Amino acid sequence: MSTVLVLNSGSSSLKYQLVSPESGEALAVGLVEKIGEPQGILTHEVGDDETTRELPIPDHGEALRLVLGLFDEVGPSLEKAGVVAVGHRVVHGGTDYSQPTVIDDDVVAGIEALVPLAPLHNPANVTGIKVARELLDVPHVAVFDTAFFATLPEPAYTYAIDADVAKEHRIRRYGFHGTSHQYVSERVSQVLGRDDLKQIVLHLGNGASASAVTSGVAVDTSMGLTPLEGLVMGTRSGDLDPAIVFHLNRVAGLDVDQVDNLLNKQSGLKGIAGRNDMREVRSAAEAGDPAALLALAVYRHRLIKYVGAYAAVLGGIDVLTFTAGVGENSAPLRAEVVEALAFLGLAIDPAKNAVRSKEPRVVSPDGHQGPLVMVVPTNEELAIARQSMAAIA
Ligand code: AMP
């Protein structure tokens, strides 16, 4: 058996999965939280068995050492599991990395050089890569969240600002959640047995993004230079008038870091309704909370607008697919969005839409003529494992 250890390093967290790229099975799933805080938490799941540890975890090196210790102690043994590579999720690859890349010192330096483009994400990714390379003597592969969008056409990735400024500061649309959009759009093609599809994928999790994909090639996406642009998210605003930033500075007296915090952490569903979890927003809306009702309406409005825009960009639509936490689980949201898009020929079958499943599925009515609606659970870890395996082959 060959497996890949997939690592996703955040600023104070380390998520991991031991995955068999062939079968798709996750042999172990875990999360280290609150790294650097007085009390860290490590959760390690193997099947239905969960092991939890609470102790101070000063840095990512210690976090990974603890994780490797747990693999030894409660299993599965990494040696027996045949780990052939470590796959690292890296948020920003800029224009330098459009493919999964086997990591050497130059690649580490290259990812570090992209820190100005992703100051919130790339530093943690670099830290994770450095400590993992020290502790695990197998090839390490970087899989970039931006890579799938390297194919965006120039009009889709160019912002209409001074060209010299844009060039000097590498300002363009990069797009994120690429591993998910690629995995999901490929699953759609497999399930339908067609590679010539005009697809719109809605990745609706805590972060949310839309993509337009034609014949497997990404042609537009809603996130931009950073993951802030586009759809309404749990705590991020998505699209807004850039002059709001000047206004917040000049009139409200907020400095750059305060505006950054406001738009990334205190906006979106949380900003409007005080809650970033869609389940809570939905139940508050059902109880009649006006702020929650408004948050849902704004969230839906933005989605409907993007699907319409991407249908125009694609010159039509064959499949609209929902994925990630909200997209996979919220049947009411799917129904509301699809009903508003009936003019595009989209329709949803209430009984099929209500089914909960981990399998990719069509939720349009049987025999429906016209574009299909699908729900396809995303699996970024499996996609990273498979891409890592391919990169070292
Ligand atoms: P993710 O980032 O993909 O893990 O998605 C997280 C989001 O999915 C959170 O906003 C959750 O509230 C949302 N979510 C999970 N389960 C459900 C559900 N049954 N209904 C609505 N939203 C859900």
Side-chain angles (χ1 to χ4, degrees):
M1 176 166 60
S2 300
T3 56
V4 175
L5 181 64
V6 177
L7 297 183
N8 183 354
S9 311
S11 56
S12 64
S13 67
L14 176 68
K15 271 196 228 167
Y16 61 92
Q17 267 196 28
L18 181 64
V19 182
S20 160
E22 216 161 276
S23 70
E25 187 192 355
L27 286 82
V29 179
L31 172 64
V32 189
E33 294 168 276
K34 305 196 175 187
I35 297 171
E37 292 184 30
Q39 192 74 312
I41 308 171
L42 164 56
T43 318
H44 181 82
E45 288 173 38
V46 184
D48 291 334
D49 293 334
E50 186 179 296
T51 310
T52 307
R53 295 281 151 83
E54 291 198 23
L55 73 172
I57 305 170
D59 54 38
H60 284 75
E62 190 54 30
L64 188 57
R65 264 185 285 275
L66 281 167
V67 169
L68 298 179
L70 268 191
F71 273 108
D72 275 345
E73 199 185 315
V74 299
S77 146
L78 288 180
E79 208 168 291
K80 286 196 194 128
V83 176
V84 292
V86 178
H88 295 266
R89 177 182 186 226
V90 179
V91 169
H92 217 307
T95 49
D96 301 333
Y97 300 103
S98 55
Q99 295 294 331
T101 304
V102 178
I103 299 172
D104 57 19
D105 292 346
D106 287 346
V107 173
V108 176
I111 298 169
E112 263 174 334
L114 294 165
V115 163
L117 286 174
L120 304 180
H121 298 104
N122 272 33
N125 298 155
V126 171
T127 307
I129 288 170
K130 284 183 176 166
V131 301
R133 285 181 83 207
E134 273 173 28
L135 296 174
L136 290 155
D137 190 18
V138 289
H140 290 247
V141 180
V143 177
F144 297 91
D145 223 21
T146 45
F148 183 55
F149 299 116
T151 54
L152 294 191
E154 205 172 1
Y157 74 65
T158 304
Y159 289 110
I161 63 169
D162 183 294
D164 294 332
V165 173
K167 188 160 183 235
E168 186 180 347
H169 298 287
R170 296 180 283 181
I171 296 169
R172 52 161 281 174
R173 178 180 309 287
Y174 292 98
F176 299 87
H177 291 150
T179 308
S180 177
H181 285 279
Q182 179 173 19
Y183 175 84
V184 168
S185 55
E186 285 178 2
R187 288 294 283 144
V188 168
S189 288
Q190 283 165 3
V191 170
L192 300 180
R194 281 181 59 183
D195 55 15
D196 61 341
L197 296 166
K198 292 175 176 171
Q199 298 194 43
I200 299 175
V201 177
L202 301 177
H203 174 111
L204 309 178
N206 220 338
S209 58
S211 68
V213 178
T214 182
S215 303
V217 176
V219 292
D220 211 344
T221 192
S222 58
M223 286 177 164
L225 173 77
T226 77
L228 182 55
E229 193 180 347
L231 302 176
V232 176
M233 313 185 206
T235 64
R236 296 188 204 127
S237 62
D239 293 340
L240 40 75
D241 178 350
I244 292 172
V245 175
F246 323 143
H247 187 81
L248 287 168
N249 176 252
R250 294 185 188 127
V251 179
L254 302 190
D255 67 22
V256 169
D257 290 335
Q258 288 170 319
V259 176
D260 191 329
N261 181 59
L262 179 81
L263 300 181
N264 272 299
K265 305 229 167 100
Q266 312 295 338
S267 297
L269 296 175
K270 186 177 179 194
I272 303 175
R275 303 167 163 93
N276 66 297
D277 189 305
M278 182 53 103
R279 282 164 293 201
E280 291 179 26
V281 176
R282 172 76 55 186
S283 47
E286 281 164 5
D289 176 355
L293 284 163
L294 177 61
L296 270 184
V298 176
Y299 187 96
R300 280 194 300 261
H301 181 80
R302 190 79 52 86
L303 280 174
I304 291 159
K305 205 154 97 169
Y306 264 93
V307 175
Y310 285 178
V313 166
L314 290 165
I317 169 173
D318 295 312
V319 193
L320 172 67
T321 305
F322 291 86
T323 192
V326 179
E328 291 167 29
N329 296 303
S330 181
L333 189 269
R334 292 194 297 260
E336 291 155 5
V337 169
V338 172
E339 273 159 28
L341 293 164
F343 78 100
L344 286 174
L346 292 160
I348 203 157
D349 179 281
K352 286 190 193 178
N353 187 39
V355 172
R356 296 181 73 84
S357 162
K358 295 233 178 283
E359 295 302 314
R361 55 207 185 269
V362 174
V363 293
S364 309
D366 284 340
H368 176 69
Q369 300 290 312
L372 297 176
V373 180
M374 291 186 67
V375 182
V376 176
T378 193
N379 192 338
E380 288 165 282
E381 288 77 13
L382 176 58
I384 291 172
R386 287 188 173 154
Q387 292 185 24
S388 300
M389 198 77 166
I392 61 164

